[in-house]
Amino acid sequence: MRIALIGNRDLENGEHNNDVVNYYQVCYQLAKMGVTMTSGLAAKGCDAIAQRAYGKAIALKEGKANIDSLEVYVAQQKNINKSDLPYKEYSIIMPSDQEATNKRREILKSVLDYNHYQALTMLKNNYALGMHERNVHQILGKDLQSPIDLVLTWCKPGHSGTRTAINIADANSIPVINFYKGQEQFNIALTQLNCFLNSFNYPSIQIL
């Protein structure tokens, strides 16, 4: 099973500490189950929390946690170089050939409104566009033909790279579970997640 563990960086801005703890525990238990995570090598937020949780589980050899459970995408090598996350060296640099680039951008055009897409392409610094392109792989895999099974996120309303990924998931009928925000929503989301896991004969996640 492959689950995208992605979301807004605001999760770690200091206002949502309980959500951070809850998300980490969920990610850690998914790692122990041997579930593959897809994400980006973000400095903070859901992606970083997931990588730290998986990194600890792998280092401690917990359950079925292993290096092969990491499917982490970056736009360029420099994203790896500047990261301090565990096992960053196993990150996947998205393909840079013209065919893959064109395909990613066609997918982005299909899920972004025209003005948003044009704004991204007109920026002098292509960092933002690169992050959106990277997120296409989080949902559809390196070859853009291997969709994940589920998106597990903490995502606020509005435009963001995570919202783009969610739109791609929706377009491909991939379920999305959002932990945003607070304990009540987390409890609802956890119930949804456990139902999903149980349907694939995985055990339920228990949060202490």
Side-chain angles (χ1 to χ4, degrees), residues 111-173:
V111 298
L112 294 175
D113 65 65
Y114 177 82
N115 290 334
H116 188 192
Y117 180 79
Q118 290 301 313
L120 287 172
T121 59
M122 293 175 67
L123 291 173
K124 291 182 179 180
N125 183 336
N126 64 358
Y127 174 81
L129 178 59
M131 292 299 97
H132 279 75
E133 288 191 60
R134 175 204 69 181
N135 290 356
V136 179
H137 290 285
Q138 294 173 351
I139 306 303
L140 299 178
K142 185 176 180 179
D143 61 1
L144 300 176
Q145 300 181 60
S146 304
I148 57 167
D149 299 294
L150 175 72
V151 175
L152 192 59
T153 186
W154 187 98
C155 184
K156 300 165 69 173
H159 290 304
S160 69
T162 302
R163 182 56 58 184
T164 297
I166 289 173
N167 290 344
I168 295 170
D170 288 340
N172 287 272
S173 301

Side-chain angles (χ1 to χ4, degrees), residues 51 67-68 70-72 80 86-93:
Q51 183 123 359
I67 292 296
D68 292 338
L70 297 175
E71 188 179 329
V72 180
I80 299 174
Y87 301 106
K88 66 178 184 179
E89 64 272 21
Y90 291 93
S91 300
I92 302 166
I93 300 173

Side-chain angles (χ1 to χ4, degrees), residues 87-106:
Y87 301 106
K88 66 178 184 179
E89 64 272 21
Y90 291 93
S91 300
I92 302 166
I93 300 173
M94 66 183 188
S96 58
D97 61 278
Q98 196 59 53
E99 181 179 357
T101 299
N102 290 342
K103 188 169 184 178
R104 282 194 302 268
R105 294 184 181 179
E106 286 301 317

Side-chain angles (χ1 to χ4, degrees), residues 171-191:
N172 287 272
S173 301
I174 297 167
V176 177
I177 298 176
N178 193 350
F179 283 150
Y180 176 82
K181 68 178 178 176
Q183 190 63 44
E184 183 176 353
Q185 177 57 32
F186 173 80
N187 292 339
I188 294 171
L190 183 60
T191 297

